[in-house]
């Protein structure tokens, strides 16, 4: 048996720890406006997030170090002059987590919030969760190139029973794209590439879209998926028949050890020559046209994800999986994922070594990295 950093005992290797190490979505910069902080359950922790007048963002433990009050808005916590104010005794905390004022006494130096490292990608705010409190081990990518020709980000969030390793596995599970989602001619366009916490997969496929419930249009699409840990997947789509470029973020965030919040974010580049796919939209202004296309893309991706959610909510992780010849690089993906569970790497050198070949490989990888 092995014990996680949160005290939960792992009886088998196929019981994945609920919280892989990595960067996970918290909120957006746009949402951090006004006097109310954001509060949520995030990787089993109660957290709050806010920003000060200079735009500095803080994601912190929600409990006051003074006497333990929750400081979210549902309890009465507010942001005043850029500081989070505890609703119980009025202690004020800046975006470094330091207590800077109390109503009737000097601020105690020992009163400091636990804060999380944050990064932003196009206004999306991510925070680092390290196993056992480990510091940042790798970075998120820079903002992708943007400009007037890209639509604004559109998003939706789904909550269901699941695990971020299972949701991210779709990036390499080529077979399910055809069987579950009905894509045609799905083919890998390049070998799976892995560099530390970064994984890249490329595949081509054809897809049939029904426009306005009347006309079926066949599209030829190339997709390149960039995975940075299990909480950040970024997909670049190229629709070849009309020359449309689109982006999709799939951001899977554990909530409480059982559920995940999966946020889908879409963005589309302007289509200046509508072509046959959007002939009926040709009369619209370019900006409005690609805004509508972004909305349609989001709706379509949500529909595909809902087909997966039915399965994710009832599936059980298998280790080792009994793969067939056409399953693609799922085995390589599983090994890639092991780096996000430092507690399992340690356990693999002990009693868990005998569980299966996947564990023995992990133990070997761990020795090689020393």
């Amino acid at each position: 048996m092995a014990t996680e950093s949160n005290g939960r005992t792992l009886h088998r290797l196929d019981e994945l720890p609920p919280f892989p190490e990595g960067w996970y979505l918290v909120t957006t910069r746009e949402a951090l406006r006004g006097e109310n902080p954001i509060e949520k359950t995030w990787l089993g922790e109660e957290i709050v997030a806010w920003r000060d007048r200079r735009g500095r963002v803080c994601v912190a433990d929600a409990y006051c170090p003074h006497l333990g009050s929750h400081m979210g808005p549902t309890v009465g916590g507010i942001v005043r002059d850029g500081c989070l104010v505890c609703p119980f005794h009025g202690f004020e905390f800046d975006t470094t987590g330091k207590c800077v004022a109390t109503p009737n006494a000097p601020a105690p130096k020992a009163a400091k919030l636990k804060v999380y490292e944050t990064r932003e990608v196009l206004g999306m705010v991510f925070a680092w969760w390290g196993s056992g409190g480990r510091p940042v081990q790798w970075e998120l990518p820079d903002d992708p190139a943007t400009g007037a020709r890209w639509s604004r980000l559109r998003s939706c969030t789904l909550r269901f029973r699941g695990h971020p390793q299972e949701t991210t596995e779709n990036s390499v599970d080529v077979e399910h794209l055809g069987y579950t989602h009905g894509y045609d001619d799905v083919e890998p366009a390049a070998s799976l590439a892995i560099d530390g916490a970064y994984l890249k997969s490329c595949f081509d496929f054809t897809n049939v879209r029904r426009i306005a419930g009347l006309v079926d249009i066949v599209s030829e699409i190339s997709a390149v998926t960039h995975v940075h840990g299990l909480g950040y997947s970024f997909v670049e789509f190229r629709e070849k028949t009309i020359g449309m470029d689109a982006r999709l973020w799939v951001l899977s965030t554990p909530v409480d050890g059982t559920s995940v919040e999966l946020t889908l974010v879409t963005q589309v580049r302007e289509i200046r020559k509508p072509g046959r796919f959007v002939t009926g939209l040709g009369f619209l202004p370019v900006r409005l046209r690609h805004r509508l296309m972004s909305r349609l893309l989001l709706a379509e991706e949500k529909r595909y994800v809902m087909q997966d959610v039915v399965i994710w909510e009832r599936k059980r992780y298998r280790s080792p999986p009994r793969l067939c010849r056409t399953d693609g690089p799922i085995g390589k993906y599983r090994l890639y994922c092991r780096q996000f569970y430092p507690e399992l790497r340690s356990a693999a050198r002990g009693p868990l070594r005998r569980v299966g070949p996947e564990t023995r490989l992990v133990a070997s990888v761990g020795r090689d990295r020393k």
Side-chain angles (χ1 to χ4, degrees):
M1 291 192 299
T3 302
E4 294 184 61
S5 57
N6 62 7
R8 178 172 174 265
T9 300
L10 299 174
H11 296 282
R12 304 186 307 274
L13 183 62
D14 58 2
E15 292 182 4
L16 284 173
F19 307 129
E21 188 170 73
W23 293 98
Y24 293 97
L25 182 69
V26 176
T27 184
T28 64
R29 171 169 285 273
E30 185 177 5
L32 298 177
R33 295 186 297 179
E35 297 181 349
N36 290 329
I38 297 292
E39 67 173 87
K40 65 190 309 180
T41 304
W42 177 85
L43 287 102
E45 307 285 350
E46 291 293 309
I47 62 169
V48 289
W50 78 97
R51 61 172 172 163
D52 63 18
R53 290 177 172 177
R54 297 176 60 183
R56 294 173 296 195
V57 172
C58 182
V59 175
D61 180 72
Y63 295 99
C64 182
H66 175 219
L67 288 177
S69 172
H70 196 286
M71 294 189 289
T74 57
V75 183
I78 61 171
V79 177
R80 185 169 62 218
D81 297 328
C83 293
L84 180 66
V85 183
C86 177
F88 200 17
H89 295 90
F91 280 37
E92 299 182 23
F93 299 87
D94 67 12
T95 52
T96 70
K98 178 182 177 182
C99 181
V100 294
T102 73
N104 301 306
K109 294 181 179 180
K112 186 175 177 61
L113 294 175
K114 174 186 176 181
V115 299
Y116 296 87
E117 288 277 354
T118 60
R119 301 290 186 271
E120 292 185 37
V121 178
L122 295 182
M124 297 178 284
V125 177
F126 298 83
W128 171 264
W129 189 90
S131 177
R134 294 208 314 167
V136 173
Q137 301 294 306
W138 41 272
E139 289 291 343
L140 286 176
D142 295 332
D143 288 354
T146 57
R149 294 193 61 195
W150 284 95
S151 68
R152 293 182 59 186
L153 300 181
R154 289 190 174 275
S155 67
C156 68
T157 299
L158 306 170
R159 182 166 174 167
F160 52 89
R161 180 184 177 277
H163 191 283
Q165 179 170 325
E166 300 276 57
T167 58
T168 307
E169 192 165 271
N170 274 14
S171 62
V172 299
D173 186 0
V174 174
E175 281 293 290
H176 101 286
L177 295 176
Y179 195 84
T180 304
H181 301 309
Y183 293 174
D184 296 317
D185 304 320
V186 182
E187 293 291 342
S191 299
L192 188 72
I194 296 175
D195 182 8
Y198 173 64
L199 178 149
K200 180 181 179 181
S201 66
C202 309
F203 54 90
D204 298 332
F205 61 94
T206 58
N207 189 24
V208 179
R209 292 181 174 90
R210 171 151 288 194
I211 304 301
L214 299 174
V215 181
D216 288 339
I217 300 297
V218 178
S219 303
E220 297 181 4
I221 300 172
S222 291
V224 179
T225 301
H226 308 273
V227 177
H228 296 265
L230 303 184
Y232 185 97
S233 295
F234 171 55
V235 188
E236 296 176 292
F237 291 107
R238 175 69 175 175
E239 206 291 326
K240 301 175 184 178
T241 57
I242 61 170
M244 184 183 78
D245 294 309
R247 294 166 170 168
L248 170 70
W249 284 263
V250 183
L251 310 173
S252 186
T253 303
V255 178
D256 53 9
T258 301
S259 301
V260 297
E261 286 188 345
L262 189 72
T263 299
L264 304 175
V265 184
T266 58
Q267 191 177 40
V268 173
R269 197 199 298 264
E270 290 179 357
I271 306 170
R272 294 190 175 275
K273 295 181 179 180
R276 63 189 180 92
F277 177 61
V278 287
T279 299
L281 306 179
F283 68 94
L284 296 175
V286 171
R287 186 165 297 181
L288 180 58
R289 187 191 307 151
H290 81 294
R291 189 185 308 162
L292 178 59
M293 291 303 299
S294 182
R295 183 177 298 175
L296 292 173
L297 175 62
L298 181 61
E300 185 175 66
E301 293 302 329
K302 180 180 177 180
R303 179 172 66 85
Y304 287 136
V305 168
M306 290 304 298
Q307 293 172 342
D308 289 317
V309 168
V310 174
I311 297 170
W312 286 330
E313 289 198 308
R314 297 293 300 275
K315 80 187 297 290
R316 177 175 292 175
Y317 182 73
R318 294 297 191 187
S319 177
R322 307 305 182 185
L323 301 176
C324 70
R325 188 172 298 175
T326 59
D327 273 326
I330 289 178
K332 291 181 180 179
Y333 169 80
R334 295 282 182 96
L335 288 177
Y336 159 81
C337 291
R338 291 301 173 188
Q339 64 186 296
F340 309 121
Y341 307 104
E343 62 273 37
L344 287 189
R345 289 212 305 272
S346 298
R349 301 185 184 96
L352 287 182
R353 178 186 292 273
R354 66 179 182 277
V355 173
E358 190 172 322
T359 310
R360 288 194 291 272
L361 282 169
V362 173
S364 176
V365 171
R367 289 195 298 272
D368 291 344
R369 287 179 177 173
K370 284 187 174 182

